[in-house]
Amino acid sequence: MKKTQLAAALAGAIAAAAAGTVHAQSNVSLYGVLDGGLAYVSNVGGSKNFTTADGLQSGNRWGLKGSEDLGGGTSAIFTLENGFNITNGALGQGSREFGRQAFVGLSNKTFGSVTIGRQYDSVVDFVSGLTSAKQFATKLGAHVGDVDNLYNSFRINNSIKYTSANYAGFSFGGLYGFSNQASSSTAGSGFANNRAWSLGASYANGPFKFGIGYLEVGTPNGANTGGAVAGDYSGDFYSAKVGTATVGVDKQRVFATGGSYKFGPANVGFVYSNTQLKYVGGTGARVSNYELNGTYNLTPSLLLGLSYTYTDASTRSATLANLSPKYHQVNAAVDYLLSKRTDVYLVGIYQKAAGDATAASINGAGGASSTKTQTAVISGLRHKF
């Protein structure tokens, strides 16, 4: 009887140990951000606007992230991330269930990771975190029309992505988004119609950070709506007037780089981006952004932020007048941590159009001003879980 009881006890212990090992090898975590508040815009089409604000400092989301240890330093990984509107509960990113991110792949501690799905491009991965919009200035503090995608207005569908491991502060990666169409000589079709690719790298050592990235998107406004970019591809520069017709982008190229240096409670940074747009029919545009930003921690809980961005754009056409719109934008913010996961913020944005620009147009403000100036003030509460 005692032997039977001992055998049963040992069997139970072995089973419990095995179950513990399996549990340790696999994990899934739930996470998210809830961000809401109020926004005032001085001029939208000639009128003032006062609204509730949704996900301006951080896009509202909930997600599942998991990994399974496969041995030898390799793990299976996945992320499913849903975006939504906190003011009415609607799905974001074109009403996609997992519109922010959705991918699965393999990760190795030495060689990096390979993932496939709906993902961020390399400009976002390696440069966007250096901008004031991502640090403190909200969606409205992004560059005009977010034409360089540094605020991540669109993701890349059908993509396979490589991200290296961190080698003494240096990392790099690349992404290719398939058009998911067969090759064809027929206009508006073929494997190159609505595809995307990007490359980037970053380096961080002590107080210094640096990032660089390149993104190219081909025929995003074409007939292939199932390609690399669809649904959330829109902005102030993503269409052009040619005669009486409005045409979309045939090709977009983005180069972006930036760096920052931290000394004590202060951090200063610079970001440069150059976006080349070729529209259907040959008309083109170039948009360059020069951003200087800085933050200062008055206390560990109180952050002050300030930035200035100069946008220099030009359009070219064989049949239309060439234009040179310019924009000046100042972002200022105060962010106070109520806890490690909850903060309140107040952000002010002022934009002035110059050159051939006829109206100011703060990104995400609800529309262009009827004048050359526009001001926005946002206050909000953000909670992370």
Side-chain angles (χ1 to χ4, degrees):
M1 184 69 177
K2 290 182 179 179
K3 290 182 180 179
T4 303
Q5 291 175 339
L6 179 60
L10 288 173
I14 292 171
T21 301
V22 172
H23 179 73
Q25 289 176 337
S26 302
N27 70 84
V28 176
S29 58
L30 172 69
Y31 66 93
V33 178
L34 299 172
D35 183 344
L38 300 173
Y40 165 80
V41 182
S42 63
N43 187 318
V44 178
S47 301
K48 298 176 182 178
N49 198 17
F50 189 74
T51 67
T52 54
D54 171 72
L56 296 182
Q57 191 71 281
S58 296
N60 286 302
R61 73 199 72 170
W62 69 268
L64 295 170
K65 183 178 295 185
S67 65
E68 179 188 11
D69 187 354
L70 303 177
T74 300
S75 299
I77 58 174
F78 78 89
T79 293
L80 296 171
E81 190 171 281
N82 169 274
F84 60 91
N85 187 318
I86 197 174
T87 60
N88 59 20
L91 291 172
Q93 293 79 48
S95 296
R96 293 176 171 91
E97 184 172 4
F98 295 108
R100 292 186 59 88
Q101 297 184 87
F103 63 82
V104 65
L106 295 174
S107 177
N108 182 274
K109 294 179 180 179
T110 302
F111 301 107
S113 64
V114 176
T115 51
I116 187 166
R118 176 174 165 88
Q119 304 176 86
Y120 300 155
D121 64 74
S122 300
V123 169
V124 172
D125 285 341
F126 297 104
V127 186
S128 70
L130 298 167
T131 65
S132 63
K134 283 293 187 178
Q135 294 181 64
F136 59 81
T138 77
K139 175 182 179 179
L140 278 69
H143 301 155
V144 180
D146 194 30
V147 69
D148 48 22
N149 202 40
L150 282 173
Y151 196 78
N152 199 23
S153 292
F154 62 85
R155 280 80 169 167
I156 310 298
N157 299 323
N158 316 326
S159 63
I160 184 167
K161 179 177 179 179
Y162 169 74
T163 305
S164 77
N166 189 311
Y167 303 111
F170 176 72
S171 60
F172 59 93
L175 169 147
Y176 185 89
F178 291 83
S179 69
N180 276 7
Q181 279 196 344
S183 179
S184 172
S185 59
T186 304
S189 64
F191 72 90
N193 182 30
N194 198 352
R195 68 175 176 180
W197 63 274
S198 63
L199 296 169
S202 66
Y203 179 73
N205 185 2
F208 175 72
K209 292 182 180 179
F210 172 79
I212 188 169
Y214 177 81
L215 167 67
E216 183 171 310
V217 182
T219 326
N221 292 129
N224 179 18
T225 58
V229 179
D232 47 3
Y233 186 85
S234 62
D236 291 350
F237 289 96
Y238 289 163
S239 62
K241 200 78 172 178
V242 179
T244 59
T246 299
V247 298
V249 174
D250 182 56
K251 183 166 288 187
Q252 178 183 16
R253 295 185 177 97
V254 178
F255 169 77
T257 187
S260 67
Y261 190 84
K262 183 175 178 61
F263 46 98
N267 186 80
V268 294
F270 177 77
V271 175
Y272 167 76
S273 72
N274 180 277
T275 302
Q276 303 282 339
L277 296 169
K278 178 186 175 184
Y279 301 100
V280 175
T283 299
R286 172 196 55 81
V287 186
S288 296
N289 290 292
Y290 306 83
E291 178 187 322
L292 180 65
N293 61 61
T295 60
Y296 188 86
N297 278 98
L298 282 177
T299 71
S301 299
L302 182 60
L303 176 76
L304 304 180
L306 183 66
S307 70
Y308 165 73
T309 299
Y310 172 62
T311 301
D312 177 22
S314 64
T315 63
R316 60 187 184 275
S317 172
T319 58
L320 303 174
N322 295 326
L323 302 175
S324 298
K326 319 289 182 187
Y327 302 88
H328 304 271
Q329 182 166 309
V330 176
N331 303 331
V334 179
D335 195 320
Y336 183 73
L337 290 171
L338 299 174
S339 70
K340 290 183 178 180
R341 296 185 298 167
T342 305
D343 64 315
V344 291
Y345 58 87
L346 178 66
V347 179
I349 297 153
Y350 173 79
Q351 187 185 106
K352 180 177 177 61
D356 293 321
T358 58
S361 184
I362 292 174
N363 183 64
S369 171
S370 62
T371 69
K372 287 198 170 188
T373 62
Q374 192 174 47
T375 303
V377 179
I378 310 110
S379 63
L381 169 70
R382 175 175 55 179
H383 176 72
K384 302 176 183 178
F385 64 88

